[in-house]
Every structure is written in C-alpha cells, then in structure tokens.
Amino acid sequence: MSANQNRYETAVTRYFEAWNADGEEALTKAVTAAWTGDGTYTDPLADVRGHDGIAAVIAAAHEQFPGFEFRLTGAVDGHHDLARFGWELVAVADGSAPVVGFDVVTLGDDGRIRSVHGFLDRVPAGA
C-alpha cells in the first residue's frame, strides 16, 4: 500500500470512528481526531463548520437512527489531498441499510479531514 493510500484509509477509518462513536465524550474525541479545527461537513441536509457543528450533525443522526452504524462500502479511492468512498447506514439488528451515500473528503497536511462533501443516494421517505 502506498503512503498516500494509507493516508486516505487512515482518514476514512477515523471518519467512521467519529460517525459510530458512542456517547458525547467519545464523539468529541473522535471528531477532534478526524477533522481539523476548522473542518467542514456538507451534505444535502447539513452545512456545518468546526468540531462542535460536526459533532452536532453526528449526534442528530444517532438520535434519528438509534441502533444503526455507518459502514464503508467498497474501497477508498484517492489522489493528491482528495479521497472518495461509499458508505451505508446499517441497522445492527437486521442488517438493513435504509440510507446509502458517497463522500468526497479533502485532507489537511496532518492527515485530518478539512472538508467533507456528502451525497445521499438512498434515503427513506420522511427522513
């Protein structure tokens, strides 16, 4: 694995650790490890900046989908300071995945995420 590919994989691993963090303290720690202090997260439902804003979006997703976890689908692809990957939101109880998406991230010099641009490919009605 190239150094750049390892950098992309590490960043995406931290990203999922943040999205799957359990509890406020763990979430704060994981967001800080994954994003730069001025990092952003933008998708069709959110546009936030900074650790507090990102943590609030993640906490809201946990409230809306209790008992679910985010999982990587496929390989992480990247070049320069960009990486892209697919993901799904999976019910731990039965393995169903009502939400599926695709994200593009920009990495900072320290390997943490500077920005996320998320796309939602499948969302349940009323969500």
Side-chain angles (χ1 to χ4, degrees):
M1 178 181 304
S2 73
N4 275 340
Q5 186 61 33
N6 187 46
R7 183 172 176 239
Y8 307 137
E9 303 258 348
T10 298
V12 172
T13 296
R14 288 182 185 148
Y15 176 86
F16 283 104
E17 287 170 353
W19 277 96
N20 291 320
D22 188 20
E24 185 176 343
E25 185 176 334
L27 176 57
T28 298
K29 183 177 179 182
V31 167
T32 300
W35 271 270
T36 60
D38 63 346
T40 63
Y41 178 85
T42 304
D43 72 13
L45 305 173
D47 186 10
V48 297
R49 176 178 297 277
H51 292 159
D52 290 344
I54 294 164
V57 167
I58 293 171
H62 285 247
E63 288 176 19
Q64 185 174 5
F65 295 97
F68 285 76
E69 67 182 20
F70 287 87
R71 294 184 189 165
L72 179 67
T73 60
V76 176
D77 184 28
H79 63 82
H80 296 85
D81 289 333
L82 299 170
R84 66 179 179 163
F85 54 93
W87 55 266
E88 60 187 359
L89 181 61
V90 178
V92 175
D94 66 10
S96 63
V99 183
V100 175
F102 189 88
D103 290 352
V104 177
V105 301
T106 304
L107 302 180
D109 292 338
D110 65 358
R112 291 187 299 161
I113 297 168
R114 285 192 341 231
S115 66
V116 175
H117 299 280
F119 298 85
L120 301 174
D121 299 322
R122 182 174 62 224
V123 179

